[in-house]
Amino acid sequence: MPRPITLFTGQWADLPFEEVCGLAASWGYDGVEIACSGDHFDVQQAIDDENYIAGRKEILERHGLQVFAISNHLVGQAICDNPIDFRHQAILPSRVWGDGTPEGVRQRAAEDMKNTARAAAKLGVKTVIGFTGSSIWQYVAMFPPVPASAIEAGYKDFADRWNPILDVFDEVGVRFAHEVHPSEIAYDYWTTVLTLEAIGHREAFGLNWDPSHMVWQDIDPARVPLGLQGPDLPRRLQGHPDAGRRRTQRPPRLPPAVGRPAPRLGLLLDRPRRRELGGLLPRPQLDRLRRPDLGRMGRRRHGAQGRRRRSRQHHPSPRLRQTRRLLRRRLRHGQVAPYSARPAHAGAPLLRRRLVKAPTRLLRRRLVRRPRGSYGAGW
């Protein structure tokens, strides 16, 4: 059976769920990923009302659609976020926002995510997709300077809040798929590695494989799922033949790349490096952003800067230099002249000579040999 193509309904949360299903079926989709927003899927009703899940399934069957996952991005965002403010009030259900006290919102969001796992199990799906939020995204600019202890505390806060949630996911047999995205605890390659380490690579916590977020980081999306299976991910993605046979010694832990440009090791992963890697984390002097290769998207000046390609004008071949010297000598002795300066009398014999791939404007013009003994008018 070919892989089914489904449509995420979150972009049409302002439309009724049945109308969105009708549109998806008419557009040729095999199923939908139901968003927990609008009237598409209400987590609390799914828990309290026994007939609610049956009603959702009946709508899907009527339009010939399947469901493989549900998503609860908006509630997940509030679990770890700091600060909690008017932005969250605009996207959260009233039962989660409550009185608006920040810690109360986070606790209610965590409980709602647990209920999302239970509702997914009742619906018969095995995956819940969403965001995690982040208490340290506010330090993304990294100025004024942020100590490493503050970043480590942010990952500890994430683990403390999400481990009880993941216990419920394990209990009902559902997995949470985090969408690596700006404003989240994992937003690029290195923060994703630290996120997985913070929760001990739990089976209930995975990643939503979204190639669009990897492309703008210049990461090969096809190699990431294969590389996230072991500690030597950078070497494996770089294509080292001995990556699976030996494990390099990890250097001392560096502050996570929160707020800093993505390390060079996380970019251009489909290209081999010219120097040996120092381990899983890069050396501080290598923690710089490389310009992505945009040469295919526009003129060469829009692409990555590199060595200027030198043309033959800068380094003429020995044969060309010899031709130049010979031509200058003949010009000085009057043996060769430009074609436009040929003799005026029609009877003078002309021996024309063409110089191929001449380096200068003078050499690119057709040249003629001056006839011997003919030094009349016109020269």
Side-chain angles (χ1 to χ4, degrees):
M1 177 181 177
R3 182 179 296 275
I5 305 299
T6 61
L7 177 70
F8 175 53
T9 68
Q11 287 87 351
W12 293 275
D14 57 328
L15 298 180
F17 179 64
E18 185 158 4
E19 182 178 352
V20 174
C21 289
L23 292 173
S26 65
W27 293 336
Y29 285 94
D30 301 314
V32 291
E33 175 190 323
I34 307 177
C36 297
S37 54
D39 75 332
H40 295 188
F41 194 84
D42 191 303
V43 173
Q44 198 60 43
Q45 288 191 39
I47 296 298
D48 298 338
D49 189 356
E50 294 295 334
N51 299 322
Y52 183 80
I53 295 294
R56 299 292 99 175
K57 290 183 177 180
E58 192 273 332
I59 294 176
L60 293 171
E61 293 175 358
R62 189 187 315 146
H63 295 281
L65 298 174
Q66 299 174 287
V67 57
F68 300 95
I70 63 176
S71 67
N72 202 352
H73 290 75
L74 305 183
V75 170
Q77 185 68 43
I79 296 177
C80 289
D81 260 8
N82 184 23
I84 297 290
D85 52 28
F86 60 93
R87 300 170 299 170
H88 300 81
Q89 184 180 10
I91 64 175
L92 292 175
S94 58
R95 66 177 184 274
V96 176
W97 177 255
D99 57 0
T101 56
E103 188 57 31
V105 172
R106 297 187 190 100
Q107 294 294 336
R108 287 187 290 271
E111 291 300 321
D112 198 78
M113 185 60 69
K114 296 176 183 178
N115 287 335
T116 303
R118 300 184 180 103
K122 294 179 64 175
L123 185 61
V125 300
K126 299 296 184 181
T127 305
V128 173
I129 303 172
F131 290 149
T132 61
S134 173
S135 62
I136 52 179
W137 178 256
Q138 56 183 316
Y139 305 133
V140 66
M142 293 299 270
F143 189 86
V146 180
S149 58
I151 304 302
E152 293 175 356
Y155 282 93
K156 184 179 184 304
D157 176 75
F158 159 74
D160 293 342
R161 294 183 184 277
W162 273 89
N163 273 323
I165 299 174
L166 296 177
D167 291 340
V168 177
F169 274 81
D170 283 331
E171 178 185 339
V172 298
V174 178
R175 300 186 66 191
F176 180 81
H178 170 57
E179 182 176 349
V180 180
H181 189 280
S183 77
E184 310 306 322
I185 193 67
Y187 67 89
D188 63 2
Y189 165 73
W190 289 109
T191 53
T192 299
V193 171
L194 293 173
T195 299
L196 296 176
E197 290 180 350
I199 57 175
H201 293 268
R202 294 191 57 162
E203 188 69 22
F205 188 92
L207 301 178
N208 176 34
W209 186 71
D210 191 335
S212 66
H213 298 317
M214 302 176 190
V215 169
W216 66 262
Q217 298 182 58
D218 212 5
I219 295 177
D220 187 353
R223 298 188 182 186
V224 171
L226 300 177
L228 284 174
Q229 299 175 4
D232 56 345
L233 168 61
R235 302 185 62 82
R236 190 175 302 169
L237 292 186
Q238 291 293 343
H240 290 268
D242 59 341
R245 294 193 295 271
R246 66 187 184 96
R247 178 178 177 180
T248 59
Q249 184 67 26
R250 291 187 57 181
R253 177 179 290 275
L254 298 177
V258 175
R260 300 181 300 179
R264 292 177 60 182
L265 190 58
L267 298 176
L268 304 176
L269 294 181
D270 55 339
R271 300 183 182 182
R273 291 175 60 88
R274 295 183 178 179
R275 55 181 120 185
E276 197 72 9
L277 301 179
L280 183 61
L281 295 180
R283 296 191 297 273
Q285 62 269 25
L286 294 183
D287 189 14
R288 299 188 300 270
L289 177 65
R290 290 181 58 186
R291 295 182 58 187
D293 188 3
L294 302 178
R296 299 181 180 179
M297 302 180 63
R299 297 184 178 181
R300 183 59 188 169
R301 63 180 180 178
H302 297 147
Q305 291 182 352
R307 292 183 178 180
R308 175 182 291 183
R309 185 178 179 182
R310 298 180 177 180
S311 63
R312 295 182 179 179
Q313 283 186 326
H314 298 280
H315 295 281
S317 63
R319 183 176 180 182
L320 185 55
R321 289 196 298 267
Q322 181 181 4
T323 304
R324 284 178 173 178
R325 289 194 296 268
L326 179 61
L327 178 61
R328 294 191 189 100
R329 188 182 305 114
R330 290 186 176 180
L331 284 172
R332 287 196 300 268
H333 291 76
Q335 298 177 354
V336 179
Y339 181 70
S340 58
R342 59 186 178 181
H345 56 283
L350 300 178
L351 300 177
R352 301 181 181 180
R353 179 180 180 185
R354 181 183 297 274
L355 199 59
V356 183
K357 295 183 179 179
T360 64
R361 181 177 298 179
L362 175 63
L363 297 182
R364 289 194 182 98
R365 301 171 62 181
R366 288 189 297 174
L367 305 176
V368 297
R369 184 182 298 275
R370 177 182 295 182
R372 290 186 179 182
S374 177
Y375 297 94
W379 287 93

